[in-house]
Amino acid sequence: MQKIAPKTPAELEIMRRAGRVVSKLLKFLESKVVPGVTTKKLDEKAEEFIRAQGATPAFKGYYGFPASICVSVNEEVVHGIPGKRALAEGDIVGVDVGAVLEGFYSDAARTFGVGRIDVSSQHLINTTREALYKGIDQAVEGHFLGDISWAVQEHAEKNGFSVVRDYVGHGIGRSLHEEPQIPNFGKPLTGPRLVAGMAIAIEPMLNVGVYDVKTLSDGWTVVTKDGKRSAHFEQTIFVGKEKPEVVTE
Ligand code: MG
């Protein structure tokens, strides 16, 4: 049985502030996601924004990752490296960002449409966000970790999408990735019991086609095996006694 320590009230307070850094940044970046902008430009703006808040980008240098945000376009699932690519009307772009403030991490992701996007892409984005919140709703003391996993999977599959298996959510705190792992698929009433004050990042990745993924030769970018589109949403949250608290909204 995994042991997952809840955070102290003082730790949670720092994490709330770390969470506000990334939620404000994602709101800011949403307005910058327009046709013609390069993913590198988004990264530069993100790093500047995080540092201006007195925080440090969590991803830069993490296992050698070269940027402050992951930018994953269309069939890219996660861990896309910002670069010269210019976003085009109709693309969908997942932006994942983490920040460290006073030794504590926050982590969040959104998928944005670039200009006008097709109906199926919009459905994918909406369903991924909804699936995340179905999972978040389960993050209440006394529930099981598997309740979160199941809620995400059920909503995704009911809507005809598949759930990526190879990448999962995680505990978060003094490290970006702590125990436990939080799969986006599983069975209710399984896994560890949730206790108020646990800090976790829930992050469903939903695919239009098969759930299989592969990593490109850059060593980072994860894409769908069938080349169909994928979306990703993530929030850092605290398990609550009555209801969860989302700290990156
Ligand atoms: Mg994460």
Side-chain angles (χ1 to χ4, degrees):
M1 181 61 77
Q2 291 163 307
K3 191 168 179 295
I4 315 144
K7 266 67 180 177
T8 67
E11 290 171 335
L12 293 176
E13 194 41 48
I14 301 173
M15 290 192 71
R16 282 188 188 98
R17 289 193 283 118
R20 277 198 285 276
V21 174
V22 299
S23 58
K24 280 197 274 183
L25 169 61
L26 285 164
K27 190 101 197 122
F28 167 75
L29 285 180
E30 183 173 15
S31 66
K32 305 295 170 198
V33 170
V34 292
V37 72
T38 64
T39 55
K40 181 149 185 57
K41 190 79 196 163
L42 295 176
D43 180 56
E44 286 166 4
K45 288 188 180 297
E47 178 165 5
E48 205 175 288
F49 190 100
I50 292 169
R51 295 197 190 278
Q53 308 272 314
T56 310
F59 295 175
K60 199 164 194 176
Y62 190 79
Y63 290 98
F65 190 76
S68 298
I69 57 175
C70 299
V71 185
S72 307
V73 185
N74 298 339
E75 78 285 3
E76 296 172 357
V77 179
V78 284
H79 304 165
I81 302 172
K84 285 180 294 196
R85 179 176 191 163
L87 297 176
E89 176 103 21
D91 284 345
I92 63 169
V93 54
V95 179
D96 191 351
V97 60
V100 198
L101 188 73
E102 294 168 35
F104 284 87
Y105 285 76
S106 60
D107 190 4
R110 317 265 190 270
T111 298
F112 305 120
V114 183
R116 286 169 58 87
I117 61 172
D118 61 62
V119 172
S120 128
S121 296
Q122 190 62 58
H123 185 219
L124 172 69
I125 288 175
N126 294 348
T127 304
T128 309
R129 191 196 301 107
E130 290 158 11
L132 167 60
Y133 276 86
K134 296 282 182 191
I136 290 173
D137 286 344
Q138 296 299 318
V140 177
E141 181 160 287
H143 287 201
F144 293 84
L145 194 87
D147 297 341
I148 296 176
S149 306
W150 173 82
V152 171
Q153 181 181 18
E154 205 241 0
H155 190 72
E157 292 180 351
K158 201 171 72 185
N159 282 278
F161 298 114
S162 67
V163 168
V164 171
R165 302 296 199 267
D166 290 2
Y167 297 88
V168 297
H170 49 91
I172 182 166
R174 285 190 185 277
S175 305
L176 181 58
H177 296 120
E178 298 186 350
E179 290 295 317
Q181 291 201 340
I182 304 171
N184 298 299
F185 55 95
K187 291 188 166 49
L189 308 176
T190 62
R193 283 259 197 181
L194 302 174
V195 175
M198 287 175 176
I200 56 179
I202 306 175
E203 51 177 317
M205 288 141 259
L206 268 54
N207 296 351
V208 167
V210 297
Y211 64 67
D212 308 81
V213 298
K214 60 182 181 185
T215 305
L216 298 184
S217 58
D218 64 16
W220 282 104
T221 312
V222 176
V223 298
T224 56
K225 216 163 206 173
D226 59 11
K228 294 185 177 170
R229 289 186 168 194
S230 183
H232 178 211
F233 278 83
E234 175 177 24
Q235 302 280 25
T236 295
I237 67 138
F238 304 150
V239 174
K241 281 225 187 290
E242 310 288 336
K243 60 185 175 65
E245 178 180 345
V246 182
V247 298
T248 48
E249 182 59 84

